[in-house]
Amino acid sequence: MTTVAVRRQAQRRRSPLVGYLLRRIGTSLLLLVGVTIVTFALTNLVPGDPVSAALGEGASQNPETRAAFIKAQGLDQPLFVQYFIYMGNLLRGDLGTSLVTGRPVTSDLATAVPATIEIAIGAIILSLAVSVVLGTLAAYRRGLVTDQVIRIVTLIGLSVPTFWLALVSFYVFFLELRIAPGSGRISPSITPPPRITGLYTVDYLLNGDGVGFADALAHLALPVMVLSLVTIGLLTRFIRTSVLEVLGSDYVRAARAKGLPAMRVILDYVLRGASLPILTVVGVAFGSLLSGTVLVESVFAWPGLGTYAYNSAANLDLPGIMGVGLVVGFIYLLINFVVDLLYGVLDPRVRIA
């Protein structure tokens, strides 16, 4: 076989995954444009006067000051013109200036997003590790006491309000027992690390600061625990259902009939077969953690995306609101893209179809 033929054959083998990847990228780009349209439209439909919110009641009553602000912000243009101005600025990486902080929205988000990512990653890792064990155990012990106990515990975890759990955890572990640090990302006596990734634990490690890393990790403990308890309940119940479906498959029965060790059957056959639906739920849960931490961040004074979104909405900060909406939409699109990509890698039927 010639070299050209070998290359063509290799390209044909790679083409299904490459084509699948290109289709997902194109779809994601179209959806991202749709996110900008929806975010812009909903933001401009919010009731209230952004001029009064930005300038205050006193300054907004001055006609000259009001007119100058409206012209500077482009609020005197039709909505479709404002949208194209917004898209032009967006393509240049300019999300505008926050009416609350007075800083560029990109700078505010560059600080807030890593803070939320840090607790979301910790929560999803802990949740997945615990849920895989509990869900698999419940499936193998279906109908027995172990299964019933795990189902009751997960139901309680899903039923408890997150904000209540955050308040109770803060009161018990910080105010009463004094075994957890207070609010914020680090203690007041600790100097923030030089910015590399924005994730304090990672930045402290990269700078070789063990004391700072330990303090940042301690401050992560309570928010991560609160977010994990709810997510564990969701993932455990879903993993149990997925594992139960796989346990009845012919290839699992064949593996057991061969006398393979139980642990190998679980890891190589059961969990691998149940990985695709589990992956979908993990992606959705991770997206929810990144975009739905407002109450938890408020309780623990965590300067993340949820806190920034609340402050922007409360003060009618339109650039800030649109920036948050765009980031949340991009996060969900990115997570869905990664999940779809992993689908194509794990299951050849997906990329061929």
Side-chain angles (χ1 to χ4, degrees), residues 38-52:
V38 172
T39 301
F40 182 83
L42 292 179
T43 302
N44 283 274
L45 292 175
V46 173
D49 185 6
V51 180
S52 300

Side-chain angles (χ1 to χ4, degrees), residues 78-102:
L79 278 180
F80 72 92
V81 176
Q82 294 183 39
Y83 173 74
F84 283 111
I85 294 174
Y86 173 71
M87 285 298 296
N89 294 332
L90 182 61
L91 293 176
R92 295 194 299 269
D94 182 12
L95 295 177
T97 302
S98 171
L99 304 180
V100 176
T101 64

Side-chain angles (χ1 to χ4, degrees), residues 2 39 48 58 66 114 131 142 164-165 173 194 208 238 241 245 278 326:
T2 64
T39 301
R66 186 180 183 89
S131 299
R142 180 182 182 182
W164 181 85
L165 187 61
F173 292 104
F238 193 86
T241 302
E245 293 178 357
I278 293 174
L326 187 63

Side-chain angles (χ1 to χ4, degrees), residues 151-227:
R151 293 176 66 182
I152 292 174
V153 171
T154 55
L155 180 60
I156 294 174
L158 288 172
S159 305
V160 175
T162 306
F163 72 91
W164 181 85
L165 187 61
L167 289 172
V168 171
S169 301
F170 187 81
Y171 176 79
V172 173
F173 292 104
F174 172 64
L175 295 178
E176 292 294 330
L177 300 180
R178 300 288 180 178
I179 60 176
S183 56
R185 299 183 71 182
I186 53 175
S187 301
S189 59
I190 302 294
T191 304
R195 183 180 176 85
I196 300 177
T197 64
L199 310 177
Y200 277 13
T201 50
V202 176
D203 289 348
Y204 277 126
L205 282 178
L206 294 177
N207 286 278
D209 188 346
V211 176
F213 171 76
D215 185 76
L217 193 62
H219 280 78
L220 272 174
L222 281 183
V224 166
M225 182 189 71
V226 170
L227 292 174

Side-chain angles (χ1 to χ4, degrees), residues 5-295:
V6 172
R7 289 181 179 177
R8 289 179 177 175
Q9 186 176 358
Q11 289 177 355
R12 284 195 297 269
R13 286 199 299 264
R14 290 195 300 266
S15 58
L17 182 58
V18 173
Y20 175 78
L21 180 61
L22 292 176
R23 289 195 301 270
R24 300 313 303 168
I25 291 176
T27 304
S28 298
L29 290 177
L30 291 176
L31 289 174
L32 186 59
V33 174
V35 168
T36 63
I37 296 175
V38 172
T39 301
F40 182 83
L42 292 179
T43 302
N44 283 274
L45 292 175
V46 173
D49 185 6
V51 180
S52 300
L55 300 178
E57 291 296 334
S60 63
Q61 299 302 320
N62 187 313
E64 296 180 356
T65 303
R66 186 180 183 89
F69 178 84
I70 291 175
K71 184 174 182 60
Q73 297 295 324
L75 299 178
D76 56 341
Q77 301 291 333
L79 278 180
F80 72 92
V81 176
Q82 294 183 39
Y83 173 74
F84 283 111
I85 294 174
Y86 173 71
M87 285 298 296
N89 294 332
L90 182 61
L91 293 176
R92 295 194 299 269
D94 182 12
L95 295 177
T97 302
S98 171
L99 304 180
V100 176
T101 64
R103 298 190 301 268
V105 174
T106 51
S107 300
D108 291 340
L109 293 176
T111 302
V113 172
T116 298
I117 289 177
E118 193 165 31
I119 58 175
I121 290 178
I124 199 66
I125 291 175
L126 178 61
S127 300
L128 187 58
V130 175
S131 299
V132 167
V133 175
L134 294 181
T136 305
L137 180 62
Y140 267 82
R141 299 287 184 176
R142 180 182 182 182
L144 300 180
V145 176
T146 304
D147 180 28
Q148 300 299 329
V149 171
I150 292 176
R151 293 176 66 182
I152 292 174
V153 171
T154 55
L155 180 60
I156 294 174
L158 288 172
S159 305
V160 175
T162 306
F163 72 91
W164 181 85
L165 187 61
L167 289 172
V168 171
S169 301
F170 187 81
Y171 176 79
V172 173
F173 292 104
F174 172 64
L175 295 178
E176 292 294 330
L177 300 180
R178 300 288 180 178
I179 60 176
S183 56
R185 299 183 71 182
I186 53 175
S187 301
S189 59
I190 302 294
T191 304
R195 183 180 176 85
I196 300 177
T197 64
L199 310 177
Y200 277 13
T201 50
V202 176
D203 289 348
Y204 277 126
L205 282 178
L206 294 177
N207 286 278
D209 188 346
V211 176
F213 171 76
D215 185 76
L217 193 62
H219 280 78
L220 272 174
L222 281 183
V224 166
M225 182 189 71
V226 170
L227 292 174
S228 296
L229 289 177
V230 178
T231 311
I232 286 172
L234 171 66
L235 293 180
T236 299
R237 296 174 74 86
F238 193 86
I239 290 174
R240 176 186 178 275
T241 302
S242 300
V243 170
L244 281 175
E245 293 178 357
V246 175
L247 285 176
S249 302
D250 292 338
Y251 63 88
V252 174
R253 288 197 293 265
R256 287 175 171 175
K258 290 180 181 179
L260 295 178
M263 188 57 64
R264 184 179 176 185
V265 173
I266 294 174
L267 296 178
D268 293 347
Y269 292 86
V270 176
L271 291 180
R272 186 175 180 180
S275 61
L276 292 183
I278 293 174
L279 184 62
T280 302
V281 178
V282 170
V284 174
F286 187 55
S288 300
L289 289 174
L290 287 171
S291 59
T293 59
V294 178
L295 297 176

